Amino acid sequence: MAFPQPDLADAPDTLPRMPPWVTSARAETLEDVAFLSGSALATLHLVVGRDDVPHALLSDRLSLTASEACIRMLGRSERAGEIRDAVHLLRPGDQAGPAGAIYLQWQRATARPISVKALQRALPYATAEQIATWLDMGRGGPVMRAATVLETVLTTHPREEVLALILADAVLAQSLGWTHVLPLLATGLKSRDLRMRGTDLQLACHKALVSSIGVALPVAADLTRRAADLQAVIPKLRAKGAADAVALFLSKDALSPAIALTGRTGMSDRAARRFCDRLVGLGVVRELTGRDTFRLYGV
C-alpha cells in the first residue's frame, strides 16, 4: 500500500463497498468469522490499492480513531477533539500529554513504510532486536500472525497495549503486502479482548476486523470525495504556498494555521488564517473545533 501524491481530479463518487452480508451475518465459529474478515480485508485491499484514495490522510484519520480507542482501554477520558488539540496545538519544544503521546505514536507508526527503524520511531522503548523478532513472529494467515504477536507482546508486557496493537497492525499490514501500517485491530478490539489467548483471541481479531473495516471503508470513500473537491479548487487559489498547504491538508487529519501552515508553507500567520477561511468558504475544508480561537482545520 504505497502513499503517492494522487491526482484526484477525476476521483469517482464511490469506492468498492463491503458486501452487506459481511456485516449482517451472525457468525460465531472461528471458521465462519474468518471467512467474513477475509471478505472484509479483500474489499479493503482493493481500496488501498487505488491511487485516487488519499492514503496518508486516511491513515492519519484512522490513527486518531485508534488513539481514542487505546486511550479508552487505558481508562482515560480524552476524546477525538481533545486528542487533536494535544498534538496539533503543540509548539516547538512542547511535550505532549499522555493522550497526545499515544496519537503521536500512531502517527509515527503509519507515516513511513513498515521497517524496524520506522517502528522504533513510534516505539522508542522497544529495542530494534525486539521489533525485528516480533515482525517475523507467527505462522499462518495474516490475522493468525497478528493475533500471535498481540498475545506474545501482551504476555511479556501486559501493560503495553499500545505497543502490542501497533505491532499487531504492522504484522497484519506486512502479511497482506501493504507497505504502510493501517490502524485496524486497534479500532475494533476491546479491553476484554486483549485478555484473551489462543483461538479466543484469534476469533476476537477476526470480529474486530469486520467491525473496523466496516467503519474504515465509508471513511475512505468520504475522504476520497473531499480530497477530489480540494484538488479541484487549486486553480482558484492564488496565495503564496497554496500548493504546499493543499498537500498538507491531503496528508493530515487536522492543521493549525498558526503552527502547521506558517511553519511549512512560508505563509504569515494572518495569511494562513485567511487561506483556511477561503477553503472553508469554498466548501472544501472544515473548521473542526467550533472555537473562535486556536482553531483547527481539516478536509
Side-chain angles (χ1 to χ4, degrees), residues 4-281:
Q5 293 298 320
D7 178 3
L8 298 169
D10 297 317
D13 291 335
T14 61
L15 295 175
R17 298 179 180 180
M18 187 119 78
W21 51 264
V22 173
T23 52
S24 63
R26 298 177 61 86
E28 295 298 333
T29 68
L30 180 58
E31 181 181 18
D32 289 342
V33 177
F35 174 75
L36 296 178
S37 73
S39 300
L41 283 167
T43 305
L44 182 61
H45 189 76
L46 295 175
V47 170
V48 299
R50 293 269 293 258
D51 288 339
D52 52 354
V53 174
H55 297 92
L57 176 57
L58 175 61
S59 288
D60 205 41
R61 180 67 56 82
L62 295 181
S63 291
L64 177 64
T65 306
S67 300
E68 190 174 16
C70 289
I71 288 164
R72 283 198 302 270
M73 289 180 189
L74 298 177
R76 298 186 64 87
S77 61
E78 291 92 341
R79 294 298 180 257
E82 297 166 288
I83 300 167
R84 280 188 176 119
D85 285 353
V87 168
H88 294 296
L89 296 180
L90 282 176
R91 294 284 182 176
D94 289 348
Q95 295 295 317
I102 289 173
Y103 187 20
L104 287 171
Q105 283 185 274
W106 278 104
Q107 285 186 318
R108 290 166 182 159
T110 60
R112 298 184 180 184
I114 299 167
S115 69
V116 171
K117 183 177 181 180
L119 288 171
Q120 199 167 22
R121 289 183 67 248
L123 309 167
Y125 42 85
T127 68
E129 291 75 16
Q130 286 176 315
I131 294 172
T133 298
W134 287 324
L135 284 179
D136 290 335
M137 184 175 291
R139 298 180 180 178
V143 182
M144 183 179 292
R145 286 193 60 206
T148 298
V149 171
L150 192 61
E151 179 173 343
T152 300
V153 175
L154 287 174
T155 299
T156 56
H157 301 79
R159 296 186 178 180
E160 297 291 351
E161 294 91 344
V162 179
L163 168 69
L165 289 164
I166 287 176
L167 287 164
D169 271 324
V171 168
L172 178 70
Q174 188 179 60
S175 301
L176 291 166
W178 299 346
T179 59
H180 288 65
V181 176
L182 195 64
L184 294 172
L185 287 167
T187 64
L189 289 167
K190 308 299 182 186
S191 295
R192 64 180 179 273
D193 297 327
L194 299 186
R195 296 190 292 270
M196 296 177 179
R197 296 294 181 262
T199 55
D200 288 339
L201 181 58
Q202 292 176 34
L203 182 65
C205 287
H206 283 296
K207 289 183 176 180
L209 287 171
V210 174
S211 173
S212 62
I213 294 172
V215 172
L217 289 172
V219 171
D222 180 60
L223 291 180
T224 299
R225 289 191 296 269
R226 291 180 180 277
D229 291 341
L230 177 56
Q231 285 278 63
V233 305
I234 289 178
K236 300 179 182 180
L237 304 175
R238 305 301 181 191
K240 177 184 177 181
D244 291 335
V246 168
L248 281 173
F249 274 114
L250 290 175
S251 64
K252 296 294 182 182
D253 167 73
L255 295 172
S256 162
I259 298 174
L261 293 187
T262 57
R264 303 185 194 181
T265 66
M267 293 180 181
S268 67
D269 190 336
R270 184 179 178 185
R273 294 175 192 276
R274 286 202 310 265
F275 181 76
C276 289
D277 288 341
R278 168 71 167 151
L279 294 180
V280 171

